[in-house]
Amino acid sequence: MGRAKKVVLAYSGGVDTSVCIPYLKQEWGVEEIITLAADLGQGDELEPIREKALKSGASESLVADVKDIFVKEYAFPAIQANALYENRYPLGTALARPLIAKILVEAAAKYGADAIAHGCTGKGNDQVRFDVSCTALNPNLKILAPAREWGMSREQTIAYGEKCGIPAPVKKSSPFSIDKNLLGRSIEAGTLEDPANEPPEEIYEMTKAIADTPNESEYLEIGFQKGLPTTINGTSKEPVELIEQLNKIVGNHGIGRIDMIENRLVGIKSREIYESPAMIVLINAHRDLESLTLTADVSQYKRGIEETYTKIVYNGLWYSPLKAALDAFIQQTQERVSGVVRLKLFKGNATIVGRWSDNSLYTPDLATYGAEDQFDHKAAEGFIYVWGLPTRIWAQQNK
Ligand code: ARG
């Protein structure tokens, strides 16, 4: 008896997921494997990947274009949450996992599979995100993670694949481990494993080196409706198109590179390089618009919510009651976050230089230092008396 009869395997076309196919059959007695590759805008050609799965022994090879859902239901809420893990990483990889889990679970139901499989190792965050998300969506499914148990090095994995007749990689494999989608690229391993090493220029694809960026600055206006980005320079854009265009416009100025040591859920520190041009700029612009349209207390309270939100999304709890509750809070706050943010792009910086909104809470008559000033200065005196009262009493007691 194998560990499962029929399995839906998350498939990328890479070495690990390809080797999973013969491995699951030969070592774990799985009878039938259906592979599922998600098109998240990673730019890979998916037809060769689809065929490779069949050549590797899959009975069915599915490709799902989920770009639109990815942006609308995963990236956009993260922008509304200003989600930057450890203040820097816009969660490009972390947001894709729960969506992949969702389509795996749906495919398992459709094809009558009793298990889900993925090629994640036991060291990363992605295994947690897949396992917990799949379990949340269907607690009856088994989850198989052969790479967590097989104990093969990369060389051994490749050798195992060759022995099983797995076709050579579709494209030449890089010394780096790269995960990419519409929201950006996550790059680790190779020479990057030494945190002291400067990232080589060759790892970047979406962002230009500063030396190659335009010598003229460029203005960019991003329009938001209820916290969702809808326009670029005054022109309406569909969500996927908006992200694609922003990646180009912003990446061209070398904006969106991140080099960080991050704390994984499993306790390991890792050095990761990201390039995420559109998301970085969208989150910064969105946060700025909130500063114009939210009251001080909502804005400040939301910071704590954002931090919790970001952490639980990073830690694989996308489909959790806490996440749903935080979503409700965040949605409520976005009702009036509409307007435009103007940025100046130049040599690796996207500087916010202006913002406006019909819902602006900025009150010129109160803020001005000019003659039009409407603020009742005398009222400040009584306010300060009351505000400072506890401190005054304390000081009198302790003199
Ligand atoms: N550290 C990122 C995360 O946990 C990305 C993980 C995948 N990175 C990679 N280079 N394959 O979300």
Side-chain angles (χ1 to χ4, degrees):
M1 248 302 274
R3 297 202 196 189
K5 269 172 108 76
K6 202 185 215 183
V7 166
V8 180
L9 168 69
Y11 190 68
S12 70
V15 179
D16 288 309
T17 51
S18 295
V19 167
C20 281
I21 301 171
Y23 189 93
L24 284 168
K25 289 192 185 171
Q26 287 165 24
E27 318 292 329
W28 289 9
V30 172
E31 288 165 26
E32 193 183 338
I33 295 174
I34 295 154
T35 56
L36 174 57
D39 182 356
L40 297 155
Q42 59 269 50
D44 289 339
E45 256 197 83
L46 288 156
E47 187 47 30
I49 290 176
R50 204 187 70 76
E51 284 164 20
K52 187 175 176 188
L54 295 172
K55 286 184 200 138
S56 305
S59 65
E60 187 101 42
S61 180
L62 312 170
V63 171
D65 179 350
V66 287
K67 293 195 287 285
D68 199 50
I69 308 176
F70 184 41
V71 174
K72 283 190 195 145
E73 294 179 22
Y74 295 79
F76 277 11
I79 293 167
Q80 293 178 310
N82 299 321
L84 293 174
Y85 182 66
E86 296 185 333
N87 273 321
R88 302 181 71 192
Y89 161 44
L91 300 179
T93 298
L95 290 166
R97 300 310 183 228
L99 171 56
I100 297 171
K102 180 166 160 281
I103 60 176
L104 286 170
V105 170
E106 285 166 359
K110 183 168 170 203
Y111 288 85
D114 54 335
I116 297 286
H118 60 71
C120 301
T121 68
K123 285 171 66 169
N125 296 313
D126 286 331
Q127 53 164 349
V128 181
R129 297 169 184 151
F130 278 130
D131 290 22
V132 176
S133 297
C134 288
T135 303
L137 296 170
N138 183 352
N140 298 320
L141 281 171
K142 283 178 249 176
I143 297 159
L144 308 183
R148 210 152 50 191
E149 293 180 40
W150 65 32
M152 292 190 281
S153 68
R154 190 157 180 87
E155 293 72 38
Q156 288 168 327
T157 311
I158 292 168
Y160 187 99
E162 278 170 359
K163 198 185 76 193
C164 301
I166 293 204
V170 174
K171 44 186 193 343
K172 75 170 172 26
S173 62
S174 120
F176 304 101
S177 161
I178 300 169
D179 178 67
K180 54 182 179 164
N181 60 46
L182 262 178
L183 308 186
R185 296 170 73 248
S186 308
I187 310 142
E188 59 182 350
T191 56
L192 300 170
E193 277 181 2
D194 182 344
N197 284 346
E198 182 175 348
E201 197 50 46
E202 78 209 46
I203 65 171
Y204 298 105
E205 265 177 21
M206 302 173 81
T207 53
K208 273 192 186 161
I210 298 300
D212 302 329
T213 59
N215 290 320
E216 298 283 306
S217 64
E218 178 179 352
Y219 287 101
L220 167 67
E221 288 179 7
I222 305 175
F224 290 85
Q225 278 295 328
K226 301 193 178 196
L228 300 174
T230 51
T231 64
I232 298 177
N233 296 327
T235 309
S236 293
K237 301 284 171 197
E238 286 303 308
V240 171
E241 189 194 5
L242 181 129
I243 297 282
E244 284 172 344
Q245 283 201 6
L246 275 184
N247 275 332
K248 288 213 180 79
I249 296 172
V250 173
N252 187 42
H253 289 272
I255 295 154
R257 293 183 178 184
I258 301 148
D259 175 349
M260 69 187 278
I261 309 297
E262 90 190 25
N263 294 295
R264 287 188 193 162
L265 177 59
V266 295
I268 301 170
K269 279 192 190 292
S270 65
R271 198 274 186 95
E272 190 102 45
I273 308 294
Y274 299 103
E275 45 179 356
S276 197
M279 285 298 277
I280 287 286
V281 162
L282 284 167
I283 290 172
N284 286 338
H286 173 264
R287 196 198 277 119
D288 188 87
L289 189 59
E290 283 190 337
S291 70
L292 189 68
T293 54
L294 297 184
T295 57
D297 54 356
V298 170
S299 184
Q300 288 160 10
Y301 191 82
K302 186 168 179 279
R303 291 284 171 267
I305 299 284
E306 290 169 356
E307 192 159 332
T308 308
Y309 176 99
T310 305
K311 213 180 216 168
I312 65 171
V313 169
Y314 183 87
N315 289 340
L317 300 179
W318 183 269
Y319 304 110
S320 69
L322 177 55
K323 158 74 167 40
L326 299 182
D327 275 336
F329 175 88
I330 293 168
Q331 282 317 305
Q332 175 68 34
T333 63
Q334 298 302 291
E335 205 47 42
R336 296 174 60 82
V337 185
S338 304
V340 178
V341 178
R342 186 163 203 246
L343 304 103
K344 192 174 189 171
L345 314 177
F346 188 58
K347 297 286 174 199
N349 291 306
T351 312
I352 295 169
V353 293
R355 75 288 282 159
W356 53 93
S357 165
D358 289 343
N359 301 333
S360 173
L361 299 176
Y362 181 89
T363 320
D365 290 350
L366 293 177
T368 183
Y369 291 100
E372 325 80 272
D373 187 5
Q374 295 293 316
F375 186 75
D376 180 358
H377 289 239
K378 275 197 67 67
E381 199 181 317
F383 165 74
I384 295 166
Y385 173 76
V386 175
W387 170 249
L389 197 53
T391 307
R392 180 196 300 266
I393 293 167
W394 178 86
Q396 277 164 350
Q397 276 298 337
N398 289 283
K399 60 171 180 304

